[in-house]
Each structure stands twice: as structure tokens, then as C-alpha cells.
Amino acid sequence: MTGEVMRVAVLRALGGPLELETRPRPVPGPGQVLIRVRAAGLCHTDLHLVDGSAVTPPLPLVLGHEIAGEVVTVGASPSPSPGTGPGPGTNSRTEPGDRVLAYYYEGCRTCAWCAEGSENLCPRPAAKVGFDSDGGLAEYYLASARSLVPIADSVPFAEAAVLGCSGTTAVRVVRSVARVAPDETVVVVGAGGVGLSVIQVAVADGARILAIDPHGPSREQALAFGAAGALD
Ligand SMILES: [Zn+2]
Ligand SMILES: [Zn+2]
């Protein structure tokens, strides 16, 4: 792989545009996998990172924390880890050509939250890809092997990518926080990326949805994804 390159979209200054840059293509080390990015979502959080309104990212930074693609090369197996926390995916047999999404939040693997599999609550994450380390707005992405989740051939890359952030957020909100029961009525305020995902999960779980959004096309999307009604 030495000498091969890739293009990435880099944020160099707060408020600035993303600029295309050519960089050496990474070579995966132990426990790492090189992904050819086939789809990367743009999350509203990316806009907050660009303007620095939520957190101040280290710059320059390649944004993109909703990543799906194909495995290109697999690094050597990592040394046994002292951590006990499971990774979000099953990746022990990752091979070139595999279709995967890469979860962006890499827990420390040693705290109580990581040990129970709730890496998203880890107070000392090893990395938050696209927030504090280079993400997926690039032709290739160097992933931690344990962050990968296999995706079925029937799932388009673009739909798989958004499961890594807005999709997982929706599943947790509907099933673990709100604990929506079948036949309950759920009001979803805001039919953006997360809101539309919430609608799909809640509909799949048998709930009735009323969506509220001032944006007409968003209300139409809410209805298309199964909301019973939509108000502005
Ligand atoms: Zn996000
Ligand atoms: Zn942890």
C-alpha cells in the first residue's frame, strides 16, 4: 500500500469550508482495518463542529462519524487486551470485501460502562471518530477492527451509514429511555435525521406517531416513514 493516496475533506479552521486534500492512504496496524468508504452521513452535529458551537474540535480534522464501506485490508490481530468490554460488532472474521459500518465511539474498555457494553456512556473514550480523530469524509478510513458491524447485502451503504449515529440514537431513545409500548401514541418534535429514525423505530414497535416540524418536506418524510399525522 506504500505510496497510494486518498482524498479527504478537511476542516482547517472553525467556520471554514471543508477542503479537499490528498493524503497517504493509511496502512492498518494490529487491530485496525482499512475501509473504502462507500457512504458517509452528514449529521447536524457536524455543523456544530464546523462552527465550534458545541465543542471545539482539534484542527485540522476530517469530519464524518456515520461511515459505511467495504473492507480493503485487515491489520494483524491485536495483542490480547486488558479490557473486558465487548465491541459493538462481531468482527473476529473480518475479511477484505466485507460490507461494514464503523461505529464511531471507541470506549476505554476498562470502565464499568464499557464492561457492560455501554461504550456510548464511557467517560474516557479512546476516540470519538469525526469529533477528535479523523473520520469518514474521505475515500478511505482507518477503523478499529472492533468498531465494525457487518451489514447485509440487502442494506444500501447510505442507509447503513446513518445507523451509526442517528439510527442508534433512535433505538436507544425509543426502547431504553421512552420504552415505547405497542399502540402507544408518540409525539416526535423535529423530523430531521434523528426524528425520522425515531419514527421508523417506533412504527416498527407498533406505536402511532404524530410528527411536528415547521418544514413541509420534513413533514412529508415523516408521513412517508409511517407517521399517522404531521403538524407544523
Ligand atoms: Zn451524529
Ligand atoms: Zn470506558
Side-chain angles (χ1 to χ4, degrees):
M1 290 288 161
T2 303
E4 294 189 274
V5 298
M6 65 176 182
R7 286 177 300 166
V8 300
V10 185
L11 177 67
R12 292 201 177 94
L14 292 182
L18 302 185
E19 300 176 33
L20 281 179
E21 181 178 303
T22 299
R23 292 183 177 179
R25 192 183 303 176
V27 177
Q32 295 179 320
V33 174
L34 184 67
I35 306 296
R36 179 189 173 209
V37 177
R38 297 294 303 273
L42 270 180
C43 182
H44 198 89
T45 305
D46 290 317
L47 302 183
H48 292 311
L49 287 164
V50 167
D51 65 18
S53 59
V55 294
T56 303
L59 299 177
L61 179 69
V62 178
L63 300 177
H65 56 275
E66 299 181 336
I67 309 162
E70 295 166 322
V71 172
V72 179
T73 47
V74 180
S77 296
S79 302
S81 166
T84 55
T90 53
N91 47 56
S92 59
R93 297 184 302 278
T94 300
E95 295 178 347
D98 284 355
R99 305 171 85 252
V100 294
L101 76 82
Y103 184 59
Y104 71 95
Y105 204 103
E106 298 178 19
C108 72
R109 307 185 70 182
T110 58
C111 74
W113 293 110
C114 286
E116 70 160 38
S118 299
E119 292 198 352
N120 56 312
L121 301 178
C122 175
R124 300 182 304 276
K128 292 168 68 178
V129 171
F131 290 76
D132 61 14
S133 62
D134 286 341
L137 297 188
E139 291 180 304
Y140 293 86
Y141 164 65
L142 188 62
S144 165
R146 59 190 298 275
S147 74
L148 302 181
V149 178
I151 55 179
D153 290 344
S154 59
V155 179
F157 284 112
E159 294 183 15
V162 294
L163 293 177
C165 178
S166 58
T168 49
T169 301
V171 169
R172 181 166 178 81
V173 164
V174 171
R175 295 183 177 166
S176 300
V177 179
R179 299 178 188 274
V180 174
D183 297 325
E184 281 189 319
T185 298
V186 176
V187 176
V188 177
V189 180
V194 172
L196 291 173
S197 296
V198 165
I199 289 170
Q200 292 173 79
V201 175
V203 166
D205 288 353
R208 287 184 304 274
I209 308 298
L210 176 62
I212 299 176
D213 197 295
H215 191 224
S218 296
R219 293 196 299 276
E220 292 173 13
Q221 287 282 297
L223 294 170
F225 281 120
L231 301 174
D232 61 10

